Amino acid sequence: MSDTKSYYELYRRSSIGIALSDTLDDMISSRRIEPQLALRIMQHFDKAFAEVVAEKVKQRMSFKGHLDTYRFCDEVWTFIIKDINFKLDNNSNTVHADRVKIVSCSSKRPGEV
């Protein structure tokens, strides 16, 4: 990857990130690709996903629930919220969940000032 900046690896735990990782693992196991190539693919995935989310996602929402746990470590906030309701700004419908984990990072890339 020609871009030397690093990106958060948060989206690797999304369903598409897990599927990509599983596929790359299968390809490594069957010796169709080298592990170094899989690592470069995952780094490209991190960069592309972060850029698409930053540029394309414009929808806003609000939520209300009971804060169960919060922590701040290595410039990353993590919140566990129970009995939570989400509402999109342009929609009157709400979505309920028993428990949600929210991970929040700076919009600046690691190492940026």
Side-chain angles (χ1 to χ4, degrees):
M1 192 158 68
S2 62
D3 189 353
T4 59
K5 295 178 182 173
S6 61
Y7 291 82
Y8 290 112
E9 297 177 2
L10 293 172
Y11 302 110
R12 291 183 184 193
R13 290 178 272 178
S14 67
S15 57
I16 193 168
I18 292 168
L20 176 60
S21 180
D22 290 347
T23 301
L24 293 172
D25 287 345
D26 290 345
M27 294 177 81
I28 291 167
S29 296
S30 63
R31 297 185 180 178
R32 292 171 47 202
I33 65 170
E34 294 294 320
Q36 295 82 0
L37 178 57
L39 179 60
R40 288 183 54 212
I41 291 169
M42 290 306 294
Q43 289 170 337
H44 183 75
F45 171 80
D46 296 336
K47 178 180 186 269
F49 209 109
E51 289 175 351
V52 167
V53 168
E55 294 170 12
K56 303 291 183 186
V57 177
K58 302 298 179 200
Q59 186 65 41
R60 298 183 74 118
M61 70 170 185
S62 59
F63 58 88
K64 190 173 188 177
H66 302 286
L67 182 61
D68 182 59
T69 307
Y70 67 94
R71 66 184 67 92
F72 182 69
C73 181
D74 296 331
E75 300 295 318
V76 177
W77 280 101
T78 304
F79 303 93
I80 306 293
I81 305 172
K82 292 185 175 178
D83 193 29
I84 186 168
N85 290 300
F86 294 94
K87 182 179 182 229
L88 294 175
D89 279 352
N90 63 352
N91 193 328
S92 62
N93 296 332
T94 61
V95 176
H96 178 268
D98 294 331
R99 179 181 179 273
V100 171
K101 178 179 182 179
I102 298 174
V103 179
S104 176
C105 305
S106 172
S107 61
K108 294 181 182 176
R109 297 179 185 119
E112 270 188 351
V113 182

